[in-house]
Amino acid sequence: MKKIILAVPAFALLVSSLALTGCGENGKSDKDTVSNVRKETAAHTATTNIAFVNMDTVYSQYTLAKELNAESEKYATDHQRWANNQQQSLQNSLNKLQQKVQAGQMTQTAAEEEYNQIMRRGQTLDAEGQRRATATQELIAANAKRVQDSIHNYLVDFNAENKFDAILSTDMTSPVLIYNPALDITDQVVKGLNARYKAPAKEEPKNEEKTADKK
């Protein structure tokens, strides 16, 4: 039987492992009224003023992130305990079977039947463990997005008044948290690239090939 392990990926640098334990309907905490619909920033006259946010500090001190982190740790711990208990139970069953066989208390046929029953139980638990692991991963991803959207939406409102051209993050995996759309030069760059690009000219057939065509 495969070893039962619940793969619970850590959301360590952001919100650690996030889960929905203790949340209300539709996976939304009763304490969280943040909408998951991301807001769009409005452009304003660029003055090239830039600020930064230490995201480690935000995630460690933001109440919503701390609450979800604590819920997640409990959720992950409970499921890991379940997996360990089921694995130990199966191992105990195998050990008892082996002891009975060695003591001559069972026929070969009876021992094989009991062994097969244990293996079938193990397969069922493997499937259940995978289901729990998948559910945990989905909950972690959903809650990570809730926290990120909450921060993003606050920064949109915050910047409507402060009008920074860019707010940077100390987390280099996503260094720009919000930016002034007026600074976006993507269209100009694409147009310039396409204007500069020249398709290679098609090569004319070699003289030998032309001669061969005429024959």
Side-chain angles (χ1 to χ4, degrees):
M1 186 199 73
K2 298 179 181 178
K3 185 177 181 181
I4 303 173
I5 298 178
L6 289 182
V8 182
F11 191 61
L13 295 180
L14 297 179
V15 230
S16 188
S17 300
L18 299 180
L20 291 178
T21 305
C23 294
E25 293 182 358
N26 299 324
K28 192 168 185 179
S29 171
D30 294 334
K31 298 180 180 179
D32 176 27
T33 58
V34 177
S35 171
N36 279 344
V37 179
R38 290 172 69 86
K39 299 179 179 180
E40 298 299 330
T41 57
H44 55 267
T45 303
T47 55
T48 317
N49 54 327
I50 298 174
F52 80 91
V53 175
N54 187 316
M55 293 306 295
D56 288 338
T57 300
V58 171
Y59 281 110
S60 66
Q61 297 185 10
Y62 181 27
T63 302
L64 174 63
K66 291 193 295 182
E67 290 178 349
L68 291 175
N69 182 47
E71 292 172 353
S72 170
E73 289 180 353
K74 181 180 184 304
Y75 187 91
T77 299
D78 289 345
H79 284 289
Q80 189 60 55
R81 184 182 298 111
W82 174 88
N84 292 340
N85 289 341
Q86 302 308 316
Q87 182 178 344
Q88 187 60 53
S89 175
L90 288 173
Q91 187 60 54
N92 291 341
S93 297
L94 289 172
N95 291 342
K96 290 179 181 179
L97 174 60
Q98 183 176 14
Q99 291 171 1
K100 288 189 288 186
V101 171
Q102 291 175 344
Q105 298 174 350
M106 300 184 71
T107 64
Q108 182 69 22
T109 301
E112 290 178 356
E113 176 59 29
E114 185 171 336
Y115 175 81
N116 290 334
Q117 290 178 357
I118 296 173
M119 290 299 100
R120 287 193 292 269
R121 181 156 61 95
Q123 291 173 352
T124 299
L125 291 173
D126 278 342
E128 175 63 12
Q130 183 58 49
R131 186 194 67 78
R132 287 172 176 248
T134 299
T136 298
Q137 292 169 6
E138 291 174 351
L139 293 175
I140 289 171
N143 278 277
K145 185 177 184 301
R146 285 175 58 205
V147 174
Q148 291 166 355
D149 285 353
S150 173
I151 295 171
H152 171 83
N153 289 343
Y154 171 77
L155 289 176
V156 170
D157 294 337
F158 172 84
N159 210 41
E161 178 179 352
N162 293 276
K163 291 182 170 52
F164 288 106
D165 289 317
I167 298 179
L168 308 181
S169 167
T170 55
D171 177 10
M172 296 310 296
T173 59
S174 53
V176 181
L177 295 173
I178 195 171
Y179 64 91
N180 181 358
L183 298 177
D184 187 355
I185 60 171
T186 304
D187 288 344
Q188 296 96 303
V189 171
V190 171
K191 289 178 182 178
L193 287 170
N194 286 329
R196 188 182 65 174
Y197 174 71
K198 294 182 179 180
K202 295 182 179 180
E203 295 184 2
E204 290 291 329
K206 295 182 180 179
N207 291 334
E208 293 82 355
E209 294 175 349
K210 292 181 177 180
T211 303
D213 292 340
K214 293 179 180 180
K215 292 181 179 180

